[in-house]
Amino acid sequence: MSKTFDIAVIGATGLIGETLLMVLDEREFPVGNLYPLSAGEAGSQVAAFGERNLRVRAVETFDFATVALVFLLEPLAAAQLARIEAAGCALVDLTGSLSAQQAPCVVAGVNSQAAAAGRWLRSPLPAVVALASVLGTLRQVLGLQRVTVTACLAVSSRGRDGIEELARQTAQLLNARPVEPQLFDRQVAFNLLARASAEMPDGHARDERRLAGELGEVLGAPQLPVAVTCVQAPVFFGDSLAVSLLCDEPVDLPVVRHCLEDAAELELVEQGDYPTAVGDALGQDLVYVGRVRAGLQDPRELNLWIASDNVRKGSALNAVQLAELLLKHTL
Amino acid sequence: MSKTFDIAVIGATGLIGETLLMVLDEREFPVGNLYPLSAGEAGSQVAAFGERNLRVRAVETFDFATVALVFLLEPLAAAQLARIEAAGCALVDLTGSLSAQQAPCVVAGVNSQAAAAGRWLRSPLPAVVALASVLGTLRQVLGLQRVTVTACLAVSSRGRDGIEELARQTAQLLNARPVEPQLFDRQVAFNLLARASAEMPDGHARDERRLAGELGEVLGAPQLPVAVTCVQAPVFFGDSLAVSLLCDEPVDLPVVRHCLEDAAELELVEQGDYPTAVGDALGQDLVYVGRVRAGLQDPRELNLWIASDNVRKGSALNAVQLAELLLKHTL
């Protein structure tokens, strides 16, 4: 019998946690005991893993010495993180709460080599998984001078509460009732919100700064100018990215298309067609790319559209792939 | 009694036509007789103008010698256009079917002086009215090297049919029934479509090429690189634009904000807040601007967000303002 690893999943019952457990099972990750944990009240929650129903426990009283690997889907207080570190666990963070010093940011297939550097890894924003997959591929055939991206994020980036609120607001509007925003700061149904997270004093939103920082880290190009607007869209699942790249040289479109076609983790839709979050990306392990075109005035410009499942591909799958890298290098 | 002008409105009963008649009335344009026309079957349609209900007539049998000014909201066959020209009418085109040679493209307050050049004028895409209003203002304090815009267009850019289809698709989905796309090529409810018009062989969509061309014409900068993606959003009214500008020099944000604040046709929302199509722009004559911020890595980058009512501000109001310019220069 081959070796198995005991695992703790902190935040196992959320949208991403549920999908993470499914992907661990699907990919036959060598899981021994699996402990679903909650940073808050565990109550009587249960998490499904394969055919097992597992009771959720509280982080505070959990003995991390009993597991080899932790998936962090809820931010923890520093004292709890210190306990995980002291127990010598490997860790995959999806919360964005760890620094680059604590754990390198890794997108599987783009900078997998960075996973050899430590026992703790950060999985970036779902939009970064999609964007880095495409840009990491394109860098084989072109040099990037500048990246501009409008990232239209699904409400599921705010978890189940986001989904419930879009559904509730939509039903209120269709029934000509007043909209009552709760999670979002205003009407998101039949609207677009100009930012998807809190704004900082310099005018950038938290997730915009995070996106640019993580993209630069994953591509190993921290100086690459990245202009980013994260828009909250009235879409349940799937991020859509409108991307414009300025390249070193005039873009050779057939070479670009050939390069995108060859990438195992990408699906390039044929010319004249385009992918959407709902129609293509939903539930898929691939990042969808379309609308590939040069600039109207500047031949060094390359424009494209990316659709990707934020919960599965952008979060759960990359996290499990990072765990597979830890398995290879560290565990 | 002051002079009045007899006017024909071709496409008077559509969403834009209805609003155009309202704006003509509100702004007390000196209308004598008003003739609502239809390029197709006029049937028994009636258009409301002020307190009058006017029967819609067919273009084919209308004598254009009886009017001084024509608003063109539906594309016409060349023979009908020739009749309007032969009758010596002034014309404001909103269809995008005329060339720059036939009529200059004008945004009131941006390149109003171009309206003196002829009797026929083109009103551009609503997104161009919004974008040119902002960029025309900003050019007072900065030099533009490059414009990148993701224009998320409301379904009302496709008229009443667009509105009905988004409502129908949304209701179908909320009732767990299959979606039946008709006007749009796929599910637009709870989704984002990567283009809002037909794609040309070079991969650009028709409205993307039109947007870039009209913007360059209005700004008098046809060589300015404009990267544009027009996205069809599940929004009933109001265009939202995520804009990134590359400028000649590092951006002085206080100067930029002051310049935007001073512009009569713009409303700059305060820092920390942001405008939306539904919450701010709807029914307004102003273009709303927010999320003004410099680049994260490049101080020559300026990012902002624009929301504007595509039907009123972007179409009907600009068309009436062009008619006012014709009144001053030509009629």
Side-chain angles (χ1 to χ4, degrees):
Chain A
M1 192 176 159
S2 57
K3 194 177 172 194
T4 61
F5 299 88
D6 293 347
I7 295 177
V9 179
I10 301 173
T13 58
L15 217 49
I16 294 171
E18 227 171 42
T19 311
L20 179 77
L21 297 190
M22 204 169 70
V23 173
L24 278 172
D25 190 44
E26 280 175 19
R27 293 176 72 92
E28 301 182 345
F29 193 89
V31 180
N33 291 310
L34 189 139
Y35 301 96
L37 304 182
S38 169
E41 293 286 314
S44 57
Q45 291 183 84
V46 165
F49 178 59
E51 311 210 322
R52 286 179 272 174
N53 280 316
L54 304 167
R55 188 172 60 81
V56 177
R57 303 162 189 230
V59 165
E60 278 205 0
T61 52
F62 185 73
D63 177 8
F64 285 101
T66 60
V67 296
L69 171 65
V70 174
F71 287 99
L72 188 63
L73 282 62
E74 287 176 346
L76 288 187
Q80 300 299 337
L81 279 177
R83 285 179 55 223
I84 296 174
E85 196 169 16
C89 305
L91 180 141
V92 175
D93 170 51
L94 286 102
T95 66
S97 62
L98 301 190
S99 69
Q101 287 68 43
Q102 289 174 293
C105 190
V106 182
V107 174
V110 180
N111 66 331
S112 299
Q113 75 289 349
R119 300 177 67 77
W120 285 24
L121 304 177
R122 282 151 55 228
S123 186
L125 278 176
V128 173
V129 173
L131 192 51
S133 297
V134 175
L135 300 189
T137 298
L138 286 174
R139 274 199 314 184
Q140 298 165 16
V141 296
L142 50 79
L144 291 173
Q145 281 198 4
R146 187 173 290 278
V147 176
T148 305
V149 56
T150 304
C152 300
L153 308 183
V155 293
S156 53
S157 61
R158 303 287 293 269
R160 283 207 191 84
D161 290 347
I163 290 174
E164 279 164 22
E165 176 141 342
L166 175 57
R168 185 176 60 243
Q169 285 192 12
T170 304
Q172 284 167 339
L173 286 164
L174 286 190
N175 291 296
R177 294 206 310 272
V179 167
E180 291 160 8
Q182 292 174 9
L183 181 67
F184 300 106
D185 60 355
R186 58 197 81 183
Q187 177 183 326
V188 68
F190 305 119
N191 202 10
L192 291 164
L193 308 187
R195 58 164 208 259
S197 61
E199 191 169 309
M200 299 181 301
D202 63 3
H204 294 277
R206 197 167 29 79
D207 57 3
E208 291 164 351
R209 188 174 274 278
R210 185 179 165 196
L211 189 154
E214 290 178 343
L215 184 67
E217 188 183 346
V218 169
L219 295 179
Q223 304 304 323
L224 179 68
V226 178
V228 52
T229 302
C230 287
V231 177
Q232 183 68 69
V235 170
F236 288 110
F237 290 100
D239 291 342
S240 300
L241 314 183
V243 181
S244 185
L245 308 172
L246 185 63
C247 307
D248 291 337
E249 307 273 341
V251 171
D252 186 333
L253 276 184
V255 166
V256 162
R257 296 188 62 86
H258 192 74
C259 165
L260 293 170
E261 260 162 11
D262 275 0
E265 73 275 20
L266 305 183
E267 176 75 22
L268 177 68
V269 304
E270 55 190 49
Q271 275 179 283
D273 196 7
Y274 60 87
T276 73
V278 171
D280 300 277
L282 202 62
Q284 302 299 316
D285 291 352
L286 298 174
V287 172
Y288 286 76
V289 188
R291 303 283 339 267
V292 178
R293 60 205 194 278
L296 284 162
Q297 287 95 346
D298 188 342
R300 294 174 308 149
E301 188 189 301
L302 177 64
N303 301 294
L304 37 86
W305 172 264
I306 300 171
S308 174
D309 186 325
N310 56 317
V311 175
R312 184 180 172 95
K313 170 66 178 175
S315 302
L317 177 62
N318 193 60
V320 173
Q321 288 175 314
L322 298 198
E324 290 167 355
L325 290 170
L326 287 170
L327 203 64
K328 191 168 135 193
H329 295 300
T330 309
L331 285 173
Chain B
M1 192 178 160
S2 58
K3 195 180 173 193
T4 61
F5 299 87
D6 294 345
I7 295 176
V9 179
I10 301 173
T13 58
L15 215 48
I16 293 171
E18 229 172 42
T19 312
L20 179 76
L21 297 190
M22 204 168 70
V23 174
L24 278 172
D25 191 42
E26 280 175 18
R27 293 176 72 92
E28 300 182 347
F29 194 88
V31 181
N33 291 309
L34 189 139
Y35 302 96
L37 304 181
S38 168
E41 293 286 315
S44 57
Q45 290 183 84
V46 165
F49 178 59
E51 311 210 321
R52 289 179 270 173
N53 280 315
L54 304 168
R55 189 173 58 82
V56 177
R57 303 162 188 230
V59 165
E60 278 205 0
T61 53
F62 185 73
D63 178 8
F64 285 100
T66 60
V67 296
L69 173 63
V70 174
F71 288 99
L72 188 63
L73 282 64
E74 287 176 348
L76 288 186
Q80 300 299 339
L81 279 177
R83 285 179 54 224
I84 296 173
E85 196 168 16
C89 305
L91 181 140
V92 176
D93 170 51
L94 287 103
T95 65
S97 61
L98 300 189
S99 68
Q101 287 68 44
Q102 289 173 294
C105 190
V106 182
V107 174
V110 180
N111 66 332
S112 299
Q113 76 289 350
R119 300 177 68 77
W120 286 24
L121 304 177
R122 282 150 55 228
S123 185
L125 279 177
V128 173
V129 173
L131 192 51
S133 297
V134 175
L135 301 190
T137 299
L138 286 175
R139 274 199 315 183
Q140 299 165 17
V141 296
L142 49 79
L144 291 173
Q145 281 197 4
R146 187 174 290 277
V147 177
T148 305
V149 56
T150 304
C152 300
L153 307 183
V155 293
S156 52
S157 63
R158 302 288 291 270
R160 284 207 190 82
D161 291 348
I163 291 174
E164 280 163 22
E165 176 141 344
L166 174 57
R168 187 176 59 244
Q169 285 192 11
T170 305
Q172 285 168 338
L173 287 164
L174 286 190
N175 291 296
R177 296 206 309 272
V179 167
E180 290 160 8
Q182 292 173 9
L183 181 68
F184 300 106
D185 61 355
R186 59 198 78 183
Q187 177 183 328
V188 68
F190 306 117
N191 202 9
L192 291 164
L193 308 187
R195 59 164 206 260
S197 61
E199 190 169 309
M200 299 181 302
D202 62 5
H204 294 278
R206 199 166 29 79
D207 58 3
E208 290 165 351
R209 188 173 275 278
R210 186 180 164 197
L211 189 153
E214 291 178 341
L215 184 68
E217 188 183 345
V218 169
L219 296 179
Q223 305 303 322
L224 179 68
V226 179
V228 51
T229 302
C230 286
V231 177
Q232 183 67 69
V235 170
F236 288 111
F237 291 99
D239 291 342
S240 301
L241 315 182
V243 182
S244 185
L245 308 172
L246 185 63
C247 306
D248 291 337
E249 307 275 341
V251 172
D252 185 333
L253 276 183
V255 167
V256 162
R257 295 187 62 88
H258 193 73
C259 165
L260 293 169
E261 259 161 12
D262 274 0
E265 71 274 21
L266 305 182
E267 175 76 22
L268 177 67
V269 304
E270 54 191 47
Q271 275 180 283
D273 197 7
Y274 61 86
T276 73
V278 171
D280 300 278
L282 202 63
Q284 301 300 316
D285 291 352
L286 298 173
V287 172
Y288 286 75
V289 188
R291 302 286 337 268
V292 178
R293 60 205 194 278
L296 284 162
Q297 288 94 347
D298 188 342
R300 295 174 306 149
E301 188 189 301
L302 177 64
N303 301 295
L304 37 87
W305 172 264
I306 299 171
S308 174
D309 187 323
N310 56 317
V311 174
R312 184 180 172 93
K313 170 64 177 175
S315 302
L317 177 61
N318 193 60
V320 173
Q321 288 174 316
L322 297 198
E324 290 167 354
L325 290 170
L326 287 170
L327 203 62
K328 190 169 137 193
H329 296 300
T330 311
L331 284 173

